[in-house]
Amino acid sequence: MKLSPQTVFVPVLLTLLSACATQAPVQPVAKTDPVPVVVSPVAQLQSQLEGLDAMGVTVESSATGVRVTMPGAMAFASGSSEVDPAAREALDRIATAMTAVSASRAVIVGHTDSAGSARYNQALSEARADAVRAYIAGKGVETSHMTAEGHGEDEPVADNATAEGRAANRRVEIVIAAP
């Protein structure tokens, strides 16, 4: 006698279904607390500083921190060491990042182009670095976590013979080291 597939399938299916119905209910799996994700201080700084490039500020990351470069035209009027209102939003973000990573340290370096005397440019670069340091300190960052330096016209990144080159050389760099 040959059995049809329905003759074999239906009794097997009924046996399986009745076995499932008589088993004890499945116990819920105990939930465990998720493993906390540890984010490095450098990654925290990077996250806090996202979007600064849209403001014309350059952010470069390294294994130990970040370098933020603010163009001088954004940060200061020509010949001035007063922080321009256009730079305040970026400086606010930098202060927030440094506050979030409380053990971070910053070196603020002012640079100028070569127009004017070397002595004047040195003094102007120092005054600009000091102004940025004071602004960030005013946002709650400990002054002991920051140093200000002026490098005058000594470290150009472009040719001072052109207006574009001089504009690129007028800048403030903030090097933030994470612990």
Side-chain angles (χ1 to χ4, degrees):
M1 170 170 122
K2 191 168 184 180
L3 295 175
S4 71
Q6 286 91 0
T7 308
V8 175
F9 179 70
V10 171
V12 171
L13 181 60
L14 290 175
T15 303
L16 288 173
L17 287 174
S18 66
C20 289
T22 59
Q23 287 185 353
V26 176
Q27 294 297 322
V29 176
K31 290 186 177 182
T32 58
D33 290 334
V35 176
V37 176
V38 178
V39 178
S40 75
V42 173
Q44 288 176 336
L45 285 172
Q46 291 169 335
S47 174
Q48 292 284 329
L49 298 173
E50 284 180 6
L52 284 181
D53 56 335
M55 294 180 209
V57 176
T58 304
V59 179
E60 300 170 85
S61 298
S62 70
T64 59
V66 295
R67 175 186 304 269
V68 179
T69 304
M70 298 182 63
M74 172 192 187
F76 301 98
S78 180
S80 172
S81 62
E82 184 178 330
V83 175
D84 194 280
R88 292 181 183 159
E89 183 179 352
L91 292 174
D92 290 349
R93 296 272 303 277
I94 292 166
T96 299
M98 289 187 68
T99 303
V101 182
S102 61
S104 61
R105 300 286 189 265
V107 177
I108 302 162
V109 183
H111 299 273
T112 65
D113 60 27
S114 62
S117 72
R119 180 182 218 159
Y120 172 79
N121 287 333
Q122 180 62 37
L124 180 60
S125 68
E126 291 170 8
R128 287 178 171 177
D130 286 338
V132 168
R133 180 176 183 250
Y135 184 89
I136 293 172
K139 296 299 178 178
V141 177
E142 293 290 327
T143 56
S144 63
H145 291 200
M146 299 178 286
T147 59
E149 302 173 359
H151 290 193
E153 59 189 58
D154 295 337
E155 296 175 2
V157 293
D159 187 355
N160 275 307
T162 67
E164 295 82 18
R166 288 188 298 278
N169 291 332
R170 295 186 299 267
R171 66 197 187 282
V172 173
E173 295 176 337
I174 304 167
V175 181
I176 307 170

